[in-house]
Amino acid sequence: MEIYDYIVVGAGSSGCVVASRLSEDPAVRVLLVEAGPDMNTFWVRTPAGGGKLFMDRRFNWAFDTEPVPTLGGRTVYWPRGKGLGGSSSINGMIYMRGQPGDFDHWAALGNPGWSWAEVLPYFVRSETNQRGANDYHGAQGPLHVSDAAITHPTADDFIAAAQQIGIRRSEDLNGPPHEGVAYRQYTIRNGRRHTSYNAFIEPVRHRGNLTVRTGVRVTRVALESGEATGIEVLERGERRMIAATREVILSGGALASPHLLMLSGIGDAAELRRHGIAATVESPGVGRNLQDHWFGSFAWRVTPGSSYNHRLRGLRKYLEGARYLLTRGGYLAIGAAPVTAYARSEPGRPEADLQLTVSPMTFKFDASGEPVVDDFPAIGGSMVLLTPDSRGHMALKSSDPLQAPAFHPNYLSDAGDIRRSIAGLRMMRRIAEAAPLASRIIHELVPGAPATTDEQLLAHLRTNGNSGWHQVGTCRMGVDERAVVDPRLRVHGVGRLRVVDASIMPRIVAGNTNAACIMIGEKGADMIRADAAPPRAVSI
C-alpha cells in the first residue's frame, strides 16, 4: 500500500496551494491526486482560449443542473475544470478577491480567523502583482497578477459613462474603497494563463516529498474509528487504497468535495441510506447552502471601431494568432471583459452587490460548441448579482461514484434577488445611455429595447440569464449543527479530515471566486501545519 503523510484530493485552485505549502516541509510526504489530465496545451495557456475550453470534455466536467423550476424548467450548463489547475485552467482569469465585508461576515457567523484583516495577509502572500507591493498587494508570491494586455476606447468610455451616473473611478478594485469602476487585473503571466498549478505546483514538482498523480478518480474517503485513514481510488480500471498517516484534505471544489463526503458515509443519514450507503457521520448540511452568481446579459450593435470583432474573424484572426505567437501580446493575450463597475443596487445596501461589465467583442457558440465571433461590430455586457439570497442544494443520484450528483441551484427563488437584479439591469442601461459610451451604440440587441417592464426584464433573466460558474458553500464552515466543517476546516465528527476549497464559504464572495479559493488554500495549509497531529501507525 502507498503511504503518505498528507493526501490532497483535487489539483484545482485550492488544492495546488495546499499541496505546495505542505510539501515545503521536507519531513512530510504529500500526495496530490487529480482525476483529470495535464492541461499544458496551447488553448489552455492562451488567455483568449477560454471559449474553446468551455465545452471541451477533455478538460471540463461539463455538468448540467436538474431542471430549475424558477427558470421555467431550464437546465443550466456548469463547466468545471478537469485537470491540473482545475477551474483556474478554464476560467476568465479575473483576479477579484471580493469585498472586505464578505470576510467580516464569515467571522461574525462564528468563524474566528476569517475576518478581512486576518485573510488579507494570505492574499498578499500568494501574489506577485505587476503594480508592485503595497499594503494590499504582494510582489514575491507564486501567483502572477497583471493588468490587461490591451486597453480599448470603448472600455475607456464605459468607465467614463459609469462615472457620469455616479459610480466613482477606482484605481484598484482589490483595495480601498473596494467599490467603483476600473480595468480588471488577471492571473496572466507574460501573456500566458497562470493557473494555480502553474503558480504553486509546476515550479516545485521536482520535490522528492511531493507526488502528483493525474487520471486518478477518488471514490471515497476511508474511515476507521472516527478518523480518515486514506482514500479509495480508481486508476486504470483498478480499485485500490492509499493511506494517509496525518490527514486527508478534500479540495475538489464545491461540487466534488460534498459528493465525496456523501459517498464516504458523511451526510444526511436518511438520504445516504436511500442509496445504500451506510451513514457513518450524520451531517445534514453536506450539499446544502449551494450558492452561485446569476447574470443577465447585454449586447449592443455599435459603430465601426467600437468593437474588435473584425480583428478575430477571417484573415485577421490568423494575423492575430501570428501576433500572439511572436509577441505574446494582442487580442489573444487578454482575459474576460476588461472593465467592470462595482455598485449598489439600492442606496441602503451595506456594500456593492452588483458587478457590471462590458467587453468590446461578442461571440456565440455553434452547434459543435466552438465559439464564433459575430460578423458585425458589437459589444457585450453583463449584470451579476454578487450577494444572492437564493440557496440551492445538491444530492446523490446513485451510490456509483462515477455518476454526477443532482444539482438544484434554485436561482432567483428569493424575491429580493429578483428586485436587485432588475435594478442592476436598469443601471446597466443607464451607463449605456450616458456619454461618452452612448455615442458608440447604434441599438440594443439583448435584451432589446422593447423589454422595459419589470416583468419583461425578469423574463430575460429567466430565459437568457446564466450562471457565473462560481458555485460555493456546500460544505459550509461554522459551529452550528448544519455546518460541515469547523473554522479550522476540520470536518465535524471526523478526525484527520478537512475540506479546503470554495465549498467552505458560508456566503459567496461579492466578486469572482478564484482569488478567494487560493486564499482559502493558503490559510488552510497554515492551519494544517499548525494543528499537525502525530502520524498514526499504518499496517501494511
Side-chain angles (χ1 to χ4, degrees):
M1 182 186 295
E2 288 184 76
I3 303 173
Y4 297 88
D5 291 286
Y6 296 103
I7 298 175
V8 182
V9 180
S13 297
S14 302
C16 285
V17 181
V18 174
S20 178
R21 295 305 191 188
L22 292 180
S23 64
E24 288 174 351
D25 179 356
V28 301
R29 298 155 298 169
V30 179
L31 171 65
L32 176 62
V33 293
E34 168 58 44
D38 189 330
M39 297 181 77
N40 187 24
T41 68
F42 176 78
W43 288 117
V44 170
R45 298 304 299 270
T46 303
K52 289 185 172 289
L53 306 171
F54 195 70
M55 298 182 184
D56 189 336
R57 291 178 180 269
R58 292 176 301 164
F59 307 127
N60 195 323
W61 289 105
F63 292 124
D64 288 294
T65 70
E66 299 301 297
V68 183
T70 50
L71 302 180
R74 281 177 63 192
T75 59
V76 181
Y77 177 61
W78 279 1
R80 292 280 86 195
K82 179 183 180 183
L84 296 177
S87 291
S88 72
S89 295
I90 67 169
N91 67 3
M93 294 153 288
I94 297 161
Y95 185 79
M96 182 64 203
R97 297 167 175 174
Q99 308 289 311
D102 299 335
F103 308 100
D104 290 339
H105 179 69
W106 293 5
L109 292 173
N111 297 297
W114 290 92
S115 70
W116 171 246
E118 291 165 303
V119 302
L120 177 59
Y122 291 102
F123 282 116
V124 172
R125 183 171 82 178
S126 69
E127 179 193 27
T128 288
N129 197 292
Q130 178 182 334
R131 300 178 187 178
N134 57 32
D135 289 344
Y136 300 95
H137 293 287
Q140 296 182 334
L143 182 72
H144 282 248
V145 177
S146 61
D147 292 318
I150 294 179
T151 60
H152 192 278
T154 298
D156 294 333
D157 286 354
F158 173 81
I159 291 173
Q163 291 177 274
Q164 286 292 322
I165 73 159
I167 300 174
R168 76 181 95 187
R169 178 73 163 93
S170 171
E171 295 304 320
D172 178 10
L173 292 170
N174 286 304
H178 297 278
E179 184 176 346
V181 60
Y183 275 93
R184 287 168 154 168
Q185 287 197 299
Y186 298 91
T187 51
I188 296 174
R189 181 181 187 183
N190 298 328
R192 304 182 82 181
R193 176 192 291 271
H194 206 226
T195 70
S196 185
Y197 171 78
N198 299 142
F200 290 91
I201 296 295
E202 194 173 46
V204 302
R205 195 164 175 177
H206 63 276
R207 287 176 181 161
N209 66 329
L210 173 63
T211 301
V212 180
R213 190 130 341 128
T214 57
V216 178
R217 191 71 180 265
V218 179
T219 57
R220 67 181 177 91
V221 178
L223 303 176
E224 184 179 319
S225 302
E227 292 186 335
T229 60
I231 56 174
E232 180 185 78
V233 302
L234 181 63
E235 185 176 16
R236 292 190 290 273
E238 295 184 1
R239 288 184 187 268
R240 59 192 178 87
M241 300 299 298
I242 304 176
T245 65
R246 293 181 185 268
E247 288 195 27
V248 174
I249 300 106
L250 302 185
S251 295
L255 306 185
S257 288
H259 188 206
L260 269 175
L261 290 179
M262 294 176 193
L263 293 169
S264 307
I266 304 168
D268 183 281
E271 280 295 303
L272 296 178
R273 285 194 293 267
R274 193 164 65 86
H275 293 285
I277 298 174
T280 305
V281 176
E282 169 72 7
S283 185
V286 174
R288 313 299 296 190
N289 193 47
L290 174 61
Q291 299 161 64
D292 191 14
H293 289 141
W294 189 253
F295 72 84
S297 57
F298 281 87
W300 297 271
R301 185 150 192 153
V302 294
T303 58
S306 295
S307 164
Y308 58 79
N309 282 355
H310 66 290
R311 300 292 296 267
L312 299 174
R313 291 186 58 87
L315 178 61
R316 289 189 179 93
K317 73 178 179 182
Y318 297 106
L319 295 175
E320 277 299 320
R323 179 186 182 189
Y324 177 75
L325 291 172
L326 290 170
T327 69
R328 290 276 186 262
Y331 288 107
L332 295 190
I334 60 177
V339 285
T340 190
Y342 287 85
R344 306 181 196 209
S345 62
E346 300 164 334
R349 300 296 303 181
E351 62 185 2
D353 61 338
L354 298 176
Q355 183 190 74
L356 311 170
T357 70
V358 153
S359 177
M361 61 91 67
T362 56
F363 68 93
K364 299 178 180 66
F365 289 101
D366 66 16
S368 69
E370 279 288 307
V372 178
V373 176
D374 289 323
D375 61 358
F376 55 88
I379 62 175
S382 67
M383 179 290 306
V384 184
L385 181 66
L386 294 171
T387 57
D389 291 319
S390 300
R391 296 291 183 270
H393 72 281
M394 52 181 284
L396 289 176
K397 282 186 174 180
S398 164
S399 60
D400 179 359
L402 303 186
Q403 182 170 350
F407 304 116
H408 301 276
N410 216 19
Y411 294 118
L412 299 177
S413 58
D414 179 82
D417 288 1
I418 293 172
R419 182 186 70 250
R420 292 187 291 138
S421 294
I422 290 172
L425 294 176
R426 295 191 185 283
M427 185 179 293
M428 191 68 167
R429 276 183 167 165
R430 286 175 58 205
I431 295 173
E433 292 165 358
L437 185 60
S439 65
R440 296 183 177 275
I441 293 174
I442 297 173
H443 61 86
E444 183 180 284
L445 299 168
V446 177
T452 58
T453 68
D454 285 359
E455 292 74 17
Q456 289 168 327
L457 292 175
L458 176 56
H460 171 60
L461 284 168
R462 286 175 168 160
T463 305
N464 303 308
N466 216 324
S467 164
W469 309 295
H470 295 157
Q471 297 86 13
V472 307
T474 48
C475 297
R476 178 173 63 84
M477 171 174 60
V479 293
D480 60 284
E481 64 181 13
R482 296 191 72 85
V484 178
V485 301
D486 71 11
R488 299 192 71 78
L489 309 187
R490 298 171 295 206
V491 174
H492 286 300
V494 186
R496 301 183 185 268
L497 178 62
R498 295 190 207 228
V499 179
V500 184
D501 59 29
S503 67
I504 65 95
M505 295 186 190
R507 186 180 73 172
I508 195 168
V509 293
N512 301 73
T513 50
N514 177 245
C517 289
I518 290 170
M519 177 276 292
I520 290 168
E522 290 272 25
K523 188 169 177 64
D526 262 12
M527 289 175 165
I528 294 165
R529 290 187 292 197
D531 299 343
R536 63 181 187 85
V538 176
S539 300
I540 301 178

